[in-house]
Amino acid sequence: VVEVRIYEEEDEAAVVALWREVFPDEPAHNVPEEVIARKLGVQRELFFVAVEGDVIVGTAMAGYDGHRGWVYAVAVKPSHRRRGVGAALMARVEVALRAAGCPKLNLQVRASNRQAVAFYEKLGYAVEDRVSMGKLFSGDD
Ligand SMILES: CC(C)(COP(=O)(O)OP(=O)(O)OC[C@H]1O[C@@H](n2cnc3c(N)ncnc32)[C@H](O)[C@@H]1OP(=O)(O)O)[C@@H](O)C(=O)NCCC(=O)NCCS
């Protein structure tokens, strides 16, 4: 039985290991321990893990900025895929964001990640005609 619950401090090592396994090509600025530390300072109640017994098998990290919700780091352990864990994580995110008054959830997927697009389409998400832009704050300028 897989349960979705809010992230707790003692989950850190397992979540870091899961992300390193699922997202091996993350850019250098996404250091997992730093990502987690920042999230614990901002809406930490929107950071979820899926657990089977005491094993972490999935994550989803969401936020609501007052206009849109966003979700990141939706990840399921390869050994536990196609069992509804990803869908359960997204359902929990949606419930939490709706409860906060959020009218729409956005997310980004790498254009090459067809499996993730298929997953989100199954859950009712549509590919929208947008260009994704970003600016990295280096921290010293
Ligand atoms: C995308 C991901 C989170 C899906 O997790 P999951 O637990 O396997 O998903 P679910 O079992 O809840 O799948 C729900 C439905 O989505 C669709 N789906 C899921 N994975 C799919 C795939 N690889 N190909 C096609 N459809 C897929 C199916 O319709 C599935 O229902 P079904 O199994 O009854 O056919 C998981 O594959 C993953 O961690 N991928 C790597 C990380 C990633 O790409 N994250 C998203 C971008 S940040």
Side-chain angles (χ1 to χ4, degrees):
V1 181
V2 174
E3 174 209 356
V4 176
R5 62 162 171 77
I6 293 171
Y7 174 93
E8 295 164 4
E9 266 82 353
E10 57 262 36
D11 300 329
E12 178 174 310
V15 168
V16 169
L18 175 67
W19 286 356
R20 292 227 161 90
E21 180 181 11
V22 175
F23 304 117
D25 304 321
E26 273 298 278
H29 57 266
N30 283 345
V31 177
E33 291 85 350
E34 296 173 3
V35 169
I36 291 169
R38 285 190 293 265
K39 186 58 191 166
L40 294 183
V42 183
Q43 298 178 337
R44 61 176 291 164
E45 71 281 3
L46 296 178
F47 184 12
F48 300 105
V49 293
V51 290
E52 186 177 58
D54 54 9
V55 178
I56 295 209
V57 298
T59 63
M61 197 171 76
Y64 174 46
D65 57 24
H67 181 59
R68 294 291 180 254
W70 284 88
V71 65
Y72 305 91
V74 178
V76 174
K77 217 171 159 49
S79 55
H80 286 68
R81 288 182 188 166
R82 302 307 287 263
R83 288 170 45 187
V85 176
L89 282 159
M90 287 299 296
R92 179 67 179 264
V93 164
E94 290 182 12
V95 165
L97 289 174
R98 278 167 170 268
C102 174
K104 181 171 188 273
L105 173 53
N106 290 335
L107 56 90
Q108 294 179 319
V109 176
R110 292 209 178 123
S112 60
N113 193 348
R114 298 300 313 166
Q115 297 186 347
V117 171
F119 165 72
Y120 289 121
E121 284 181 335
K122 183 66 188 278
L123 299 184
Y125 293 79
V127 176
E128 298 178 329
D129 185 20
R130 306 281 188 275
V131 175
S132 180
M133 296 179 70
K135 180 178 184 177
L136 184 64
F137 298 143
S138 67
D140 52 23
D141 56 18

